[in-house]
Amino acid sequence: MAQPLDLYLAAPRGFCAGVDRAIKIVEMALEKWGAPVYVRHEIVHNRFVVDGLRDKGAVFVDELEECPTDRPVIFSAHGVPKSVPIEAEGRNMLYVDATCPLVSKVHIEAARHYENGLQMVMIGHRGHPEVIGTMGQLPEGEVILVETPADVAEISPRDPSKLAYITQTTLSVDDTAEIVETLQARFPQIIGPHKEDICYATTNRQAAVKAMASKIDALLVIGAPNSSNSRRLVEVGSREGCSYSQLVQRAADIDWRALDGIRSVGITAGASAPEVLVEEVIAAFRERYDVTEKLVETAKEDVEFKVPRVLRQQVSA
Ligand code: 10D
Ligand code: SF4
C-alpha cells in the first residue's frame, strides 16, 4: 500500500498576466513574420518555455548586436534600459517590447521623479535584468541601488531632501517592507509609491505560501534558478517554518529521499512556470503516494494585458 500524502496546491500559482502576454507576443510574432524571430534575453525565466519557443523558431540572444537588422526582435518581459530601443531604432530594426506593463509602470514612475528633480533609490537585486532595465531608464548616477537594510546606511544621495524610492516587482514583500522602513527612518522626506512596486502576482503567490505553511512539512516551488519571484517563494516557505523548501524545475528534480517520511507537501509555481510542469509534479507524487489534493486559495486573479497593437492587427485581419 502506498503511503498517504496530503498535497496542498497553492492558488494563485504559476503564470501571471505579464508572462502570459510576453509568451503570446513571441508566438504571435512568429505567426505574423515567420521564423526566425529574435528575442533579447529569455522571454521569461523558464527553460521549458524558452525551449518550446525555440522549437517554433525563436532565437534567443543576450544582446541586440547579435541580431540581424532584417528580422524582428522582441524585448523580454523584464524590461530593457532606454539605450536598447534607441539602438534598435538607430539600426532601423523592427522591435516589439514585451516588457510587462507593471514593470513599465515603474519605468514611468522613475522618469516622473527624475523630471521633478528627485534622485532615486531602487530596492532590488543587483544584476537582475529588471533592475538593469529600470536603472537604465535614467542617466548614470540618478538611481542608487540598495539590496538590504544595511545598504541604506551606506548610501550618500546628492540631496537627502530630494529623494524617491522605487522597487523591483518580484521582491519579498516582508524584506522590502523592512528596507522601506529603514529608508524612511534615515530619509524622512523620501517619496515612494503607495506601498511598493511589488506586483499583484508576486504578492498573491507569497500570500498563498504563507497560508499553507502551517499545514505542510515540505514546500516545492516549481521554477527556474534565475527566476527572482520563484526564489522568493522558496524563502517564504523556509521563513514560515517549512523545514524543507526547495526549487524544482520539473518532476525529475525532486529529491524523493529528502521527502522520506513526510505526510504533507505544498506545491506552488513561480510566475514564469507553466502549469504543465505543476501537473507533471502532481503526477509524480501520485505514482509514489496515496495522494489527497487540497487547494489553498487566497485570491482570485483576473488580470489580463493586451498584446501590442502591431500584433493585434494581425489577429483581426
Ligand atoms: O526573475 P523574475 O522573477 O523577475 O522573472 P520571471 O521571468 O521568472 O517571472 C516573470 C517576472 C518578470 C518578467 C518581472 F516582472
Ligand atoms: Fe508583470 Fe508581476 Fe508578472 Fe513580473 S511577475 S511579469 S511584474 S505581473
Side-chain angles (χ1 to χ4, degrees):
M1 262 286 281
Q3 282 265 346
L5 182 99
D6 288 334
L7 207 52
Y8 287 87
L9 305 177
R13 62 170 179 269
F15 278 11
C16 60
V19 163
D20 206 51
R21 172 180 181 267
I23 296 170
K24 264 192 205 135
I25 288 176
V26 180
E27 287 172 344
M28 291 170 83
L30 282 163
E31 264 176 49
K32 186 177 172 84
W33 293 301
V37 161
Y38 285 73
V39 184
R40 184 188 177 279
H41 192 72
E42 288 191 338
I43 187 74
V44 299
H45 290 148
N46 189 276
R47 196 202 297 168
F48 188 87
V49 170
V50 167
D51 287 348
L53 292 172
R54 193 182 285 118
D55 288 345
K56 293 182 183 171
V59 177
F60 291 88
V61 296
D62 292 330
E63 293 302 336
L64 206 58
E65 61 189 27
E66 297 166 60
C67 305
T69 51
D70 60 350
R71 294 305 306 164
V73 58
I74 295 164
F75 304 149
S76 86
H78 314 92
V80 290
K82 240 185 175 155
S83 57
V84 173
I86 291 175
E87 186 191 333
E89 274 154 33
R91 291 174 66 199
N92 241 330
M93 294 171 80
L94 172 60
Y95 67 86
V96 185
D97 189 354
T99 304
C100 174
L102 298 181
V103 174
S104 301
K105 190 180 120 210
V106 183
H107 291 183
I108 293 164
E109 216 173 290
R112 184 172 49 88
H113 288 317
Y114 178 63
E115 278 163 25
N116 291 338
L118 302 176
Q119 195 179 16
M120 235 130 328
V121 177
M122 176 164 197
I123 307 172
H125 298 288
R126 189 177 301 278
H128 188 282
E130 182 183 332
V131 170
I132 294 171
T134 302
M135 291 181 76
Q137 298 305 305
L138 300 184
E140 187 111 24
E142 291 302 324
V143 188
I144 308 169
L145 182 67
V146 297
E147 296 187 273
T148 62
D151 287 349
V152 174
E154 303 295 320
I155 60 174
S156 333
R158 221 171 19 232
D159 178 350
S161 70
K162 287 193 175 148
L163 262 189
Y165 72 87
I166 51 175
T167 81
Q168 195 177 338
T169 57
T170 54
L171 299 178
S172 149
V173 171
D174 295 338
D175 285 352
T176 307
E178 202 187 325
I179 301 174
V180 168
E181 257 176 50
T182 316
L183 275 171
Q184 286 168 335
R186 180 163 176 216
F187 307 109
Q189 286 163 286
I190 197 165
I191 292 172
H194 175 56
K195 230 170 138 214
E196 7 69 357
D197 299 307
I198 297 173
C199 77
Y200 80 95
T202 300
T203 308
N204 288 349
R205 280 151 193 66
Q206 289 177 20
V209 169
K210 283 187 184 174
M212 63 161 55
S214 63
K215 308 180 207 303
I216 55 179
D217 301 323
L219 176 73
L220 294 184
V221 178
I222 297 153
N226 60 341
S227 167
S228 164
N229 77 87
S230 307
R231 285 171 52 189
R232 302 297 79 82
L233 293 173
V234 176
E235 288 169 5
V236 171
S238 310
R239 286 182 196 172
E240 295 291 315
C242 296
S243 50
Y244 186 81
S245 184
Q246 277 290 323
L247 193 67
V248 292
Q249 306 212 49
R250 58 189 311 167
D253 293 348
I254 300 172
D255 179 357
W256 296 104
R257 258 189 303 180
L259 296 177
D260 220 24
I262 273 172
R263 292 298 172 95
S264 54
V265 174
I267 305 272
T268 187
S272 46
E275 185 63 13
V276 300
L277 297 180
V278 176
E279 283 161 14
E280 184 186 274
V281 166
I282 296 171
F285 274 96
R286 286 201 170 282
E287 274 175 24
R288 287 166 179 81
Y289 294 90
D290 176 16
V291 168
T292 306
E293 281 181 29
K294 299 179 182 221
L295 188 70
V296 179
E297 187 170 50
T298 48
K300 290 212 188 285
E301 292 178 346
D302 56 4
V303 182
E304 257 183 71
F305 296 129
K306 280 186 186 163
V307 299
R309 197 187 301 257
V310 63
L311 294 169
R312 280 196 313 241
Q313 281 159 350
Q314 187 253 349
V315 162
S316 54

